[in-house]
Amino acid sequence: AEYEKVYSNTIDSSRAAYEAAKAEYADLCRTEAAQFRAVIHHYGAGNRTACAAYFRWGLRLLSLPAWCSTNFEVGLDETGRALIVDVELPNLPDVSLAKSAISQSGKVSTRPANKRESLEALSILHPLVLLRVACEAAHLDVDARGKLEMIAVNGWVSYRSKTTGQPLTAYVASLMAAPTDLI
C-alpha cells in the first residue's frame, strides 16, 4: 500500500510538472507568434525597422553549414526598397576540406582533399554562401508581399594580419540582384 501511495504521488507530481512546462511552452509560442505577426503587419505597412527585423528573423532560420556564421547585419536603404545584408564568411586559409572515398571493398573513408580540389572548392565557397543568403531573402520578400526592388549581400572575413598579428576584417565578396532574379 505504501508503494502504491509513493508511486501515485510520483505520477501526480510528474503530471503537474509536465502540465506546467506545457503551459509555459504554449505561452512562449503564443508570445513569439504574436511578435512575428506584429513584425509582418508593420513590414506590410512599410516600417523600415520592422522590415529589417522580419529579414533578420527569417535569415536566422537559414540552414547553412556549421562553419558558416548565421549572424547577419540587416538593413534597408533610405527608400526601404533595397535590402542590405552583411554576413561573416569563413576565412579560406582556415578552412580544411575533406573528401569521402569508397575502396573496392566498399569501405568508406575520409581523407583530406588534394590541393587542386581544395582550390577549386574554395574558389566557389564565398559566392555560394552569398547566393544562398540572397535567395533566402528573396523568398522571404515574396512571402511578405514582395516589397523589395533590390537585394545586396556583402560578405566579410575576420583574419589576423601576417605582419602585425592584429585582428582585422575585410569585405571579400558582394552580390546584388533583384529578388525576381533570385527565385
Side-chain angles (χ1 to χ4, degrees):
E2 184 65 30
Y3 171 77
E4 289 174 0
K5 184 178 179 182
V6 169
Y7 178 76
S8 178
N9 288 341
T10 302
I11 293 293
D12 290 343
S13 65
S14 295
R15 183 175 293 124
Y18 167 78
E19 291 298 329
K22 179 179 158 185
E24 182 180 338
Y25 179 74
D27 288 344
L28 180 66
C29 288
R30 278 190 292 278
T31 300
E32 193 163 301
Q35 291 171 342
F36 190 69
R37 279 193 296 278
V39 165
I40 293 285
H41 170 74
H42 292 293
Y43 175 79
N47 179 304
R48 287 180 56 217
T49 304
C51 290
Y54 170 76
F55 285 103
R56 197 174 305 108
W57 204 318
L59 289 175
R60 80 173 185 192
L61 301 175
L62 181 60
S63 177
L64 290 172
W67 44 260
C68 201
S69 172
T70 55
N71 187 19
F72 303 100
E73 290 295 322
V74 178
L76 282 96
D77 72 342
E78 303 80 38
T79 67
R81 304 291 290 160
L83 178 72
I84 303 161
V85 181
D86 286 352
V87 60
E88 183 178 10
L89 297 171
N91 187 15
L92 294 181
D94 297 341
V95 176
S96 58
L97 300 176
K99 64 180 180 179
S100 296
I102 301 175
S103 67
Q104 289 180 343
S105 65
K107 184 179 177 186
V108 177
S109 62
T110 303
R111 60 179 182 223
N114 65 39
K115 188 171 184 162
R116 182 186 58 78
E117 292 167 330
S118 290
L119 287 174
E120 187 177 300
L122 292 175
S123 71
I124 63 171
L125 182 67
H126 287 166
L128 285 176
V129 172
L130 294 186
L131 186 59
R132 177 71 177 102
V133 171
C135 288
E136 184 64 23
H139 283 284
L140 288 167
D141 181 51
V142 167
D143 291 346
R145 300 180 197 101
K147 293 197 165 286
L148 298 178
E149 292 176 1
M150 191 63 58
I151 296 173
V153 183
N154 303 306
W156 57 275
V157 296
S158 294
Y159 65 99
R160 291 210 170 267
S161 169
K162 290 183 181 181
T163 56
T164 66
Q166 294 297 314
L168 300 171
T169 59
Y171 282 90
V172 296
S174 289
L175 177 146
M176 188 163 62
T180 54
D181 294 337
L182 297 166
I183 296 178

